[in-house]
Amino acid sequence: MNQTESSGAVTPAEWDQLREAATAAMRRAYAPYSKFPVGAAALTEDGRLVSGCNVENAAYGVVLCAECTLIGELHMTGGGRLRAFYCVGGDGGVLMPCGRCRQLLFEHRGRDMELMTVSGIRTMDQVLPDAFGPDDLTQY
């Protein structure tokens, strides 16, 4: 994907690119405790591809999900908003983000962000309806 702006529906070729990038990220996961590697990849609205993998810790509660490291890369490479997202587990199958990560993705999504889910392609609003977000904090 080039660095130019990308708009419109996510193409089948872009979904393939995301699956491949998520799988490559999964292969770099640090999962010595659960033995459950996870990789994630996303396209930004300006055409960049960002990815992340899970990074475990002996204190399980401080594990970084793949989505967390993906959002870190998003900000390290210029920020912006996510346009499309894909997550895979060790067998290469699609994974749904956990609740914490759905919130993280919600806060960094573009207006029409789509996710590959176990049920097919969904919008962020379908995955996390009536979500609490930054706009809710402006009224206080």
PDB file of all heavy atoms in Angstrom, residues 11-21 86:
ATOM      1  N   THR A  11     -10.938  -3.239  -0.293  1.00  0.00           N
ATOM      2  CA  THR A  11     -10.968  -4.186  -1.409  1.00  0.00           C
ATOM      3  C   THR A  11     -10.580  -5.592  -0.948  1.00  0.00           C
ATOM      4  O   THR A  11      -9.907  -5.752   0.078  1.00  0.00           O
ATOM      5  CB  THR A  11     -10.014  -3.749  -2.529  1.00  0.00           C
ATOM      6  OG1 THR A  11      -8.661  -3.871  -2.042  1.00  0.00           O
ATOM      7  CG2 THR A  11     -10.290  -2.317  -2.985  1.00  0.00           C
ATOM      8  N   PRO A  12     -10.943  -6.619  -1.714  1.00  0.00           N
ATOM      9  CA  PRO A  12     -10.492  -7.979  -1.387  1.00  0.00           C
ATOM     10  C   PRO A  12      -8.961  -8.078  -1.317  1.00  0.00           C
ATOM     11  O   PRO A  12      -8.429  -8.770  -0.446  1.00  0.00           O
ATOM     12  CB  PRO A  12     -11.061  -8.825  -2.526  1.00  0.00           C
ATOM     13  CG  PRO A  12     -12.301  -8.086  -2.950  1.00  0.00           C
ATOM     14  CD  PRO A  12     -11.919  -6.630  -2.822  1.00  0.00           C
ATOM     15  N   ALA A  13      -8.264  -7.376  -2.178  1.00  0.00           N
ATOM     16  CA  ALA A  13      -6.795  -7.401  -2.148  1.00  0.00           C
ATOM     17  C   ALA A  13      -6.274  -6.785  -0.853  1.00  0.00           C
ATOM     18  O   ALA A  13      -5.281  -7.269  -0.280  1.00  0.00           O
ATOM     19  CB  ALA A  13      -6.227  -6.668  -3.356  1.00  0.00           C
ATOM     20  N   GLU A  14      -6.922  -5.738  -0.366  1.00  0.00           N
ATOM     21  CA  GLU A  14      -6.507  -5.125   0.901  1.00  0.00           C
ATOM     22  C   GLU A  14      -6.774  -6.069   2.068  1.00  0.00           C
ATOM     23  O   GLU A  14      -5.954  -6.161   2.992  1.00  0.00           O
ATOM     24  CB  GLU A  14      -7.209  -3.781   1.104  1.00  0.00           C
ATOM     25  CG  GLU A  14      -6.706  -2.700   0.171  1.00  0.00           C
ATOM     26  CD  GLU A  14      -7.512  -1.423   0.250  1.00  0.00           C
ATOM     27  OE1 GLU A  14      -8.774  -1.495   0.335  1.00  0.00           O
ATOM     28  OE2 GLU A  14      -6.899  -0.345   0.226  1.00  0.00           O
ATOM     29  N   TRP A  15      -7.909  -6.791   2.048  1.00  0.00           N
ATOM     30  CA  TRP A  15      -8.176  -7.769   3.108  1.00  0.00           C
ATOM     31  C   TRP A  15      -7.105  -8.859   3.090  1.00  0.00           C
ATOM     32  O   TRP A  15      -6.637  -9.293   4.142  1.00  0.00           O
ATOM     33  CB  TRP A  15      -9.572  -8.376   2.984  1.00  0.00           C
ATOM     34  CG  TRP A  15     -10.669  -7.447   3.421  1.00  0.00           C
ATOM     35  CD1 TRP A  15     -11.684  -6.963   2.657  1.00  0.00           C
ATOM     36  CD2 TRP A  15     -10.863  -6.871   4.723  1.00  0.00           C
ATOM     37  NE1 TRP A  15     -12.490  -6.126   3.407  1.00  0.00           N
ATOM     38  CE2 TRP A  15     -12.010  -6.055   4.675  1.00  0.00           C
ATOM     39  CE3 TRP A  15     -10.172  -6.972   5.936  1.00  0.00           C
ATOM     40  CZ2 TRP A  15     -12.489  -5.352   5.775  1.00  0.00           C
ATOM     41  CZ3 TRP A  15     -10.636  -6.265   7.041  1.00  0.00           C
ATOM     42  CH2 TRP A  15     -11.790  -5.466   6.955  1.00  0.00           C
ATOM     43  N   ASP A  16      -6.699  -9.301   1.889  1.00  0.00           N
ATOM     44  CA  ASP A  16      -5.625 -10.292   1.784  1.00  0.00           C
ATOM     45  C   ASP A  16      -4.320  -9.749   2.353  1.00  0.00           C
ATOM     46  O   ASP A  16      -3.590 -10.449   3.063  1.00  0.00           O
ATOM     47  CB  ASP A  16      -5.408 -10.710   0.324  1.00  0.00           C
ATOM     48  CG  ASP A  16      -6.523 -11.586  -0.225  1.00  0.00           C
ATOM     49  OD1 ASP A  16      -7.306 -12.144   0.577  1.00  0.00           O
ATOM     50  OD2 ASP A  16      -6.604 -11.705  -1.462  1.00  0.00           O
ATOM     51  N   GLN A  17      -4.019  -8.496   2.036  1.00  0.00           N
ATOM     52  CA  GLN A  17      -2.801  -7.850   2.540  1.00  0.00           C
ATOM     53  C   GLN A  17      -2.834  -7.786   4.067  1.00  0.00           C
ATOM     54  O   GLN A  17      -1.819  -8.051   4.733  1.00  0.00           O
ATOM     55  CB  GLN A  17      -2.685  -6.444   1.948  1.00  0.00           C
ATOM     56  CG  GLN A  17      -1.478  -5.675   2.433  1.00  0.00           C
ATOM     57  CD  GLN A  17      -1.478  -4.228   1.954  1.00  0.00           C
ATOM     58  OE1 GLN A  17      -2.516  -3.659   1.636  1.00  0.00           O
ATOM     59  NE2 GLN A  17      -0.299  -3.636   1.908  1.00  0.00           N
ATOM     60  N   LEU A  18      -3.983  -7.452   4.631  1.00  0.00           N
ATOM     61  CA  LEU A  18      -4.117  -7.379   6.078  1.00  0.00           C
ATOM     62  C   LEU A  18      -3.950  -8.759   6.723  1.00  0.00           C
ATOM     63  O   LEU A  18      -3.276  -8.894   7.749  1.00  0.00           O
ATOM     64  CB  LEU A  18      -5.469  -6.782   6.470  1.00  0.00           C
ATOM     65  CG  LEU A  18      -5.594  -5.281   6.265  1.00  0.00           C
ATOM     66  CD1 LEU A  18      -7.034  -4.828   6.462  1.00  0.00           C
ATOM     67  CD2 LEU A  18      -4.663  -4.534   7.207  1.00  0.00           C
ATOM     68  N   ARG A  19      -4.558  -9.779   6.136  1.00  0.00           N
ATOM     69  CA  ARG A  19      -4.415 -11.137   6.675  1.00  0.00           C
ATOM     70  C   ARG A  19      -2.952 -11.562   6.669  1.00  0.00           C
ATOM     71  O   ARG A  19      -2.440 -12.102   7.658  1.00  0.00           O
ATOM     72  CB  ARG A  19      -5.252 -12.127   5.864  1.00  0.00           C
ATOM     73  CG  ARG A  19      -5.158 -13.563   6.362  1.00  0.00           C
ATOM     74  CD  ARG A  19      -5.950 -14.551   5.504  1.00  0.00           C
ATOM     75  NE  ARG A  19      -5.917 -14.314   4.077  1.00  0.00           N
ATOM     76  CZ  ARG A  19      -4.878 -14.604   3.266  1.00  0.00           C
ATOM     77  NH1 ARG A  19      -3.792 -15.150   3.754  1.00  0.00           N
ATOM     78  NH2 ARG A  19      -4.954 -14.351   1.977  1.00  0.00           N
ATOM     79  N   GLU A  20      -2.251 -11.297   5.578  1.00  0.00           N
ATOM     80  CA  GLU A  20      -0.835 -11.650   5.487  1.00  0.00           C
ATOM     81  C   GLU A  20       0.002 -10.882   6.515  1.00  0.00           C
ATOM     82  O   GLU A  20       0.886 -11.455   7.154  1.00  0.00           O
ATOM     83  CB  GLU A  20      -0.326 -11.392   4.077  1.00  0.00           C
ATOM     84  CG  GLU A  20      -0.894 -12.354   3.044  1.00  0.00           C
ATOM     85  CD  GLU A  20      -0.592 -11.949   1.612  1.00  0.00           C
ATOM     86  OE1 GLU A  20       0.239 -11.035   1.383  1.00  0.00           O
ATOM     87  OE2 GLU A  20      -1.207 -12.541   0.704  1.00  0.00           O
ATOM     88  N   ALA A  21      -0.276  -9.604   6.680  1.00  0.00           N
ATOM     89  CA  ALA A  21       0.480  -8.792   7.648  1.00  0.00           C
ATOM     90  C   ALA A  21       0.174  -9.224   9.082  1.00  0.00           C
ATOM     91  O   ALA A  21       1.079  -9.268   9.922  1.00  0.00           O
ATOM     92  CB  ALA A  21       0.170  -7.306   7.446  1.00  0.00           C
ATOM     93  N   TYR A  86      -7.656  -6.418  10.992  1.00  0.00           N
ATOM     94  CA  TYR A  86      -7.684  -7.884  10.879  1.00  0.00           C
ATOM     95  C   TYR A  86      -6.824  -8.444  12.000  1.00  0.00           C
ATOM     96  O   TYR A  86      -5.723  -7.963  12.247  1.00  0.00           O
ATOM     97  CB  TYR A  86      -7.084  -8.278   9.532  1.00  0.00           C
ATOM     98  CG  TYR A  86      -7.520  -9.598   8.955  1.00  0.00           C
ATOM     99  CD1 TYR A  86      -8.232  -9.645   7.775  1.00  0.00           C
ATOM    100  CD2 TYR A  86      -7.183 -10.797   9.559  1.00  0.00           C
ATOM    101  CE1 TYR A  86      -8.609 -10.853   7.207  1.00  0.00           C
ATOM    102  CE2 TYR A  86      -7.568 -12.008   9.005  1.00  0.00           C
ATOM    103  CZ  TYR A  86      -8.279 -12.037   7.824  1.00  0.00           C
ATOM    104  OH  TYR A  86      -8.647 -13.235   7.267  1.00  0.00           O
TER     105      TYR A  86
END
